[in-house]
Every structure is written in C-alpha cells, then in structure tokens.
C-alpha cells in the first residue's frame, strides 16, 4: 500500500496540493483579516507562523499520509488507536467549511456576472454589495449555482480535467494579480495603504490578531483537517517531501500576500483608510475591488477576467473539499460515489442556506453574537482546527516522536529545519495552541476581553 502513488511526478503533487490550498482563503479571507488586524502587524505574525508552525504541521501531515498510505481516519488509527478520534474530528472540518465556502463562491459568480454584463459602475457604488447580500433570491441563487457546479464535477469524477485546466489558469491568476497590484499602487492615496500593510506596529500585537492569524494559517494551508494526510498518502516515496511542502507554502503565502496588496491600498485610495471599511470583514474584497476596476482603463474586461480566475481558484478548492467528504462517506458508510454526493449535497445545501441569508432575511439571528457564516468560520477555524492541531502535536511530539516524521522525510531529501521542528511539535506548538484556544473561547463567551 505504501508504494502506491497517484501523482505522476513531484510537480504533480505540488500543483494539486497548491490547487487545493490556493482559494478563497488567500484571495478573500487573508486581505480582510490583514486589513482588520493592523495590516503589517498581522502580516508579520502570519509570516512568522507560516515558517515555524505552518511548516511543521504541513510536513507532519504529508509525512503521516505517506508513511501510513491511508486517508485521515485510517492514518491516525494506525499510528495510535487512542488517537482514532482525531481522524474523525479532522474530517468534520471540511463538512463545516464546505457549505459556507460555496456561499462565498456564489458571491464571486455574482461579481463575475456584474462585470461581464457592463454593470461595473453599479458594482463600484457604496452599498452595492450590502444590498446584494441583504437580498434573498440572489445570494441563494448564486450559492445554489456554485454548489451545484462543484457537486456535478465531483459526481462525474471529472476533476482531473478541471485540474489540468487550472494548471493554466493559476499562473494566469498570479500574473493578473501582480498586474492589478502594480496598477493599484499608482492610484493616488494607495501608498498610505502599502505603508499600513507592510509596516508592523509591534505595540498593536494582540491576542485577537494572533488568534486570527492562526485560524488563517489553518484555513489557507488546508492543515488540521486531514486533507494533507490524504494528499500525502498519494505521494511517492522517491519525492522530496520537505521541498514540496516548502513550495506549496511559498505559493500559498505569495498569493495571499499579493491579494492583500491589491485590496488594502484600494481601501486607502478610495476611502482614505477609513477604519470602518478596513474592519468590514467578509465583504471587504467585494467592496474594495470594484472601485479599483471602475477606475481602471479596460476595467470591465480586467475585472471580469479577475473574477473568472478567482472563480476557478475557488472551484478547485471547493472540489477538493467535497471530494474529501465524499471519500470519507464512501469509505465509512460503503456508499456509491453518486449516493454519497447526493447526501452531502443536500445536507450542505441545508447548512449553507443560513449562511447565504445571514446578512438579510436571517440577519436577526445570531449565534454567540455572530452571523451564521462567521459562526461556522469560527467553529471550524478557531475551535476544531486548533484542537486537531494540538492533539497532532501531542501524538507526534510525545508518542510516535518527531524522529518518526524525520525518518519519513529523510527517505527522500533532507529535513533541513529538524531542530526547530522538534521543539515546535514537542513544546511550543502544544503550549501555543492551548493558550490561543482557551483565550479565544473565553473571549467569545465574554469571560475575558482580548
Ligand atoms: N485552503 C483553501 C483556501 O484557502 O481557500 C480552503 C480549503 C480548500 C480548505 C480545500 C480545505 C480544503 F480541502
């Protein structure tokens, strides 16, 4: 079983993993968190986490997958029976994320439609986005469309075709993002945004910013949800695991960095860095970007192209989310692919509706003071994923021992930062996760104020 490899080359692994990792987390979630939590301050915390904890978790998960040759539930079971629960817990995460991921995917389609039908001036007006998400039929309709496209691709098992496609589209997305960022920087007032984004203010480092950066790390790099274990199980023993992990990480972080480099300066150029706009949260990308495009020559064409590419980045990620859930259902409940897809489609549809309507018809309902979408986002990224990561650190740091991961990595290539990795998994990781988890939960229940 261990010798099986579904990736024909190391580059195939890197591209497929990057296709899953790069998505709305980079383009939509990272910029709004960076804007909200102090720009450079957030970027600084995030980058430190990426090269230390993010790197360690990514290597761990891929190595566990390759070592056991199993997907997440089987893998943890095989390493230590007492940790079987960890696989199940990790598997719950994609099930929570998938429905609301498709709601945001729907927002992207809506903006693609607005731009391609020449309604750019309307898209750029203040309040256009809020009017849209406060509606009923439109947010629901676009959500259905996005989830239906994803489900259809997974039912038909044609994601390989989409992946091939995305190998061309992803580099295009990078080029277009760089181009738009360069243009955006020339707009009057944008430089103040660049300064805000690139200069950390150490006095602004807060527990809230650290919690947000950690949740973003999990979400963006697809860690602590079993996905990388599954991808690792397809990786060949000859491939350089450490090098692949670093490349995926670099790609993922690079795209997030560029996306915020467009969005944050735009907020400064068009609203003078107004704190209310900076803290807009999930809507920020949809408020800031149309204003950039509306002021650009050929803005309609470039804006349309941009939203189409974001759509594909989101689609490859939503396919990998659904595929993960489907494979768990097929394996554990012995269902056919079609049946598994249908059940998950219906359940996710039901779970996504509150998120789609959370800003409008269901706006008065709050869970722990949050709208549905923010609530699902919080539960998965700030509660379950830190728990999964905590127990992964305990399992690797103290039970199977970091040496086991090092030996797996060293089968092919060299584990260069092993000393840091060992300390991270044994001591720093668990302590950091515990502190963050407890404080973010206490904060949410109003017991402490961060
Ligand atoms: N990492 C993806 C993003 O940043 O958009 C989200 C994601 C995709 C998470 C696929 C999990 C997954 F399986």
């Amino acid at each position: 079983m261990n010798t099986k490899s579904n990736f024909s080359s190391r580059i195939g692994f890197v591209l497929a993993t990057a296709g899953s990792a790069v998505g709305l987390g980079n383009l939509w979630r990272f910029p709004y968190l960076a804007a909200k939590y102090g720009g450079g301050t957030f970027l600084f915390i995030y980058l430190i986490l990426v090269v230390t904890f993010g790197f360690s978790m990514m290597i761990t998960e891929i190595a566990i997958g390759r070592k056991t040759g199993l997907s997440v539930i089987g893998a943890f079971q095989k390493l230590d029976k007492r940790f079987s629960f960890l696989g199940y817990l990790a598997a719950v995460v994609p099930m929570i994320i998938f429905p609301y991921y498709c709601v945001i995917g729907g927002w992207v389609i809506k903006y693609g439609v607005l731009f391609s039908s020449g309604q750019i001036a309307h898209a750029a007006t203040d309040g256009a986005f809020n009017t849209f998400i406060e509606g009923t039929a439109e947010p629901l309709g676009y959500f259905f469309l996005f989830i239906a496209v994803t489900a259809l691709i997974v039912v038909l098992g044609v994601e390989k075709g989409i992946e091939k496609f995305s190998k061309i589209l992803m580099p295009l997305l990078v080029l277009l993002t760089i181009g738009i960022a360069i243009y955006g920087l020339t707009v009057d007032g944008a430089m103040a945004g660049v300064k805000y984004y690139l200069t950390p203010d150490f006095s602004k480092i807060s527990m809230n910013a650290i919690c947000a950066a950690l949740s973003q790390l999990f979400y963006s790099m697809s860690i602590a949800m079993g996905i990388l274990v599954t991808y690792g199980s397809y990786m060949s023993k000859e491939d350089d695991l450490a090098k692949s992990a670093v490349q995926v990480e670099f790609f993922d972080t690079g795209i997030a960095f560029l996306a915020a480099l467009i969005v944050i300066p735009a907020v400064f150029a068009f609203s003078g860095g107004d704190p209310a706009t900076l803290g807009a949260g999930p809507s920020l990308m949809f408020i800031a970007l149309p204003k950039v495009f509306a002021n650009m020559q050929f803005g309609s064409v470039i804006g349309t192209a941009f939203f189409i590419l974001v759509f594909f980045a989101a689609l490859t990620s939503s396919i990998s989310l659904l595929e993960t859930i489907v494979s768990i259902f097929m394996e554990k409940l012995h269902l056919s692919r079609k049946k598994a897809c249908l059940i998950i489609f219906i359940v996710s549809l039901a779970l996504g509706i509150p998120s789609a309507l959370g800003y409008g018809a269901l706006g008065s309902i709050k869970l722990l003071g949050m709208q549905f979408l923010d609530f699902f986002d919080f539960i998965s990224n700030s509660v379950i994923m830190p728990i999964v990561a905590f127990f992964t650190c305990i399992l690797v740091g103290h039970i199977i021992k970091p040496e086991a991961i090092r030996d797996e990595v060293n089968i092919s290539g060299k584990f260069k930062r092993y000393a840091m990795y060992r300390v991270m998994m044994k001591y720093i990781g668990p302590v950091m996760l515990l502190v963050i988890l407890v404080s973010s939960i206490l904060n949410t229940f109003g017991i402490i104020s961060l």
Side-chain angles (χ1 to χ4, degrees), residues 47-368:
L47 290 180
I48 297 226
L49 283 176
V50 166
V51 295
T52 55
F53 185 64
F55 166 79
S56 303
M57 282 298 291
M58 191 165 225
I59 291 258
T60 300
E61 294 196 15
I62 301 174
I64 287 179
R66 193 173 74 171
K67 186 176 164 62
T68 58
L70 298 170
S71 69
V72 67
I73 294 180
F76 283 115
Q77 212 159 21
K78 185 165 170 183
L79 291 177
D80 190 311
K81 278 242 157 350
R82 291 167 298 172
F83 281 76
S84 302
F85 75 94
L86 202 51
Y88 289 97
L89 201 57
V92 170
V93 175
M95 300 181 197
I96 301 178
I97 293 185
F98 179 64
Y100 84 79
Y101 203 85
C102 292
V103 172
I104 318 287
W107 296 355
V108 172
I109 302 184
K110 159 78 183 178
Y111 272 70
V113 170
L114 276 180
F115 276 81
S116 57
S117 60
Q119 299 179 63
I120 183 165
H122 165 70
T125 52
D126 288 331
F129 182 72
N130 284 343
T131 312
F132 161 59
I133 54 169
E134 283 161 13
T136 300
E138 271 205 305
L140 274 185
Y142 285 112
F143 159 56
F144 288 164
L145 190 59
F146 191 90
I147 197 172
V149 171
T150 306
L152 206 64
I153 292 169
V154 173
V155 157
L156 297 176
V158 291
E159 52 269 38
K160 289 280 165 297
I162 302 288
E163 263 162 35
K164 283 213 183 86
F165 214 38
S166 75
K167 277 176 203 158
I168 305 163
L169 294 174
M170 292 298 276
L172 273 183
L173 177 70
V174 178
L175 290 180
L176 199 64
T177 312
I178 295 176
I180 298 168
I182 293 174
Y183 167 82
L185 299 184
T186 64
V187 176
D188 272 353
M191 276 305 156
V194 176
K195 193 161 163 248
Y196 175 75
Y197 179 44
L198 297 182
T199 31
D201 174 351
F202 295 109
S203 68
K204 283 219 195 93
I205 294 184
S206 65
M207 203 60 185
N208 262 338
I210 298 175
C211 292
L214 187 74
S215 82
Q216 175 61 17
L217 184 79
F218 291 137
Y219 190 97
S220 185
M221 292 181 30
S222 309
I223 46 187
M225 51 177 118
I227 307 254
L228 292 177
V229 176
T230 309
Y231 276 67
S233 74
Y234 300 146
M235 193 186 211
S236 140
K237 292 276 187 199
E238 278 98 59
D239 289 345
D240 189 333
L241 199 155
K243 196 168 162 194
S244 307
V246 170
Q247 284 176 349
V248 172
E249 216 181 21
F250 182 77
F251 199 56
D252 190 69
T253 309
I255 301 229
F257 174 79
L258 284 174
L261 192 60
I262 300 180
V263 172
I264 296 179
V267 175
F268 277 77
F270 299 108
S271 71
D274 161 36
T277 315
L278 279 174
S283 46
L284 189 66
M285 166 179 158
F286 300 91
I287 295 173
L289 285 184
K291 292 190 196 288
V292 177
F293 294 129
N295 279 281
M296 225 176 178
Q297 241 189 347
F298 310 113
S300 289
V301 179
I302 296 172
T304 308
F306 182 79
F307 279 105
I308 290 177
L309 294 174
V310 174
F311 168 75
F312 274 100
L315 190 64
T316 50
S317 295
S318 71
I319 289 170
S320 103
L321 277 167
L322 180 57
E323 183 65 53
T324 307
I325 312 171
V326 167
S327 59
I328 292 169
F329 272 55
M330 284 166 61
E331 194 181 301
K332 291 287 148 197
L333 305 176
H334 307 291
L335 294 172
S336 68
R337 167 171 285 268
K338 259 201 192 125
K339 265 204 191 122
C341 266
L342 188 68
I343 294 173
I344 299 158
F345 176 70
I346 293 170
V347 173
S348 304
L349 210 54
L351 285 176
I353 290 172
S355 295
L357 298 180
Y359 300 90
L362 300 179
S364 57
I365 306 176
K366 296 260 159 70
L367 303 168
L368 298 178

